Every structure is written in structure tokens, then in C-alpha cells.
Amino acid sequence: MKSFRSVSLVLALSLVLMQAQAQTEVPKGFKKGTITLADSSLLTGFIKESISHNSSLQFIGTAGGKKKQYNGSDIIAAEIEGINYRCINGDFFKVICQGELFFLQKESDASGKISYNGNEAVFSNGTDGKPGDYFIYAVAAKNLQLVSKKNFDEVVSASFGEYPAAMDKARAASGDIAELKDAVVIYNNRNSK
């Protein structure tokens, strides 16, 4: 009888240890990350992203459980191994810098993507532009502006017009849209001096 109890105890401890180990190991194809749901709650666990392929990601909590798929329209943001993403109108954007203004690079195209509100199919219009394009997002106004060579001056004036240091930095970019990051940083730091 003692040997049966000993074997049972060893098996029980083995199962507990295996479960604890499974919770700390990253599942194959997944990376550590956090998602922010539409209600602003945070979920920490493991993420397998399909952002550029179909504007979604799969999530497994740190305590294990079933995989759950989230579309860009289901979440506000995601952080995957130090890379931050913001979700707007179903699309994922890589956050280059953030503050009052965000400087973003589009990572997905959710236009035409079907999601479901209960049994009702909802088609996403996504956002303007294509993956790789840059955007300025004004958080308070919830205004997302595509920045292109054609509208560069217009977007710069609308975004930084009241702050000359940011305007000067943006103009110094000479149309190199990726360089707008520095102007956004200057604008966001204007009140911290």
C-alpha cells in the first residue's frame, strides 16, 4: 500500500512540474507578448502573429488554455517581444514613436476582411494606404493621416503648425517621410521643458 501511495505521489508531483514547465516555455511559433482588448484590459501570454497576412494574431495565456484568434478590430494594441502595435479600424500599425501624436507604419490591410458581431457578418473598410506607408495619428482627435510625398506639406502643417521647432525639423526632412519621426518626438516633448 505504501508503494502505491509513493507512486501516486511521484506521478502527481510529476504532473504538477510538467504543467509548471509548460506555462513558462514559449509554444512553438509563438512569442511573448501582451494585447490590450477593446475594454482596455491587458492579457499577457504568447502571441503568434499573422499581422501582414490577415490582420490577426493568435493568443495563448501564460496559464495555458486554448488558442484564441484576435483580429485588429478586436483589440486596441499589442506588444510582441518589445515591438508595439496600435490597431485602428481593423489594421495593425507598428508604433515608431508615441505621445500626443503617434508616428506609425502600416503593417496590414484589413479592407474587405470579414469579422462577426454575433452571427452578423461585418466587412472592414480598413484604413487608407498600403502596408509600409507612414501615418501620423492624433490621439485626442482620433485622427489618422496618411503621409505621402503628395500631401507631405499639408500633413506637416496640420500636425505641427503651432509649434515651430517641430515644423522646422519636418521641413528639414526634405520629403523623407521616415524622418518625420524626429519632428513627432520634438512635438510630443514640447511641454516637458
Side-chain angles (χ1 to χ4, degrees), residues 9 20 22 28 38 47 53 56 84-85 96 101 132 142 151 158 163 172:
L9 182 60
K28 186 176 180 177
I47 297 171
H53 178 66
S56 70
N84 292 309
Y85 297 92
I96 297 170
L101 294 179
K142 295 186 178 183
N151 72 355
Y163 193 63

Side-chain angles (χ1 to χ4, degrees), residues 15 54 81 83 86 88 91-92 117 123 126-127 130 132 143 151 164 169-170 175 177:
L15 287 173
N54 67 358
E81 289 190 341
I83 299 173
R86 181 81 176 201
I88 302 169
D91 278 318
F92 282 81
N117 184 7
F123 291 90
T127 56
K130 61 187 181 311
N143 183 27
N151 72 355
K169 190 65 171 178
I177 298 169

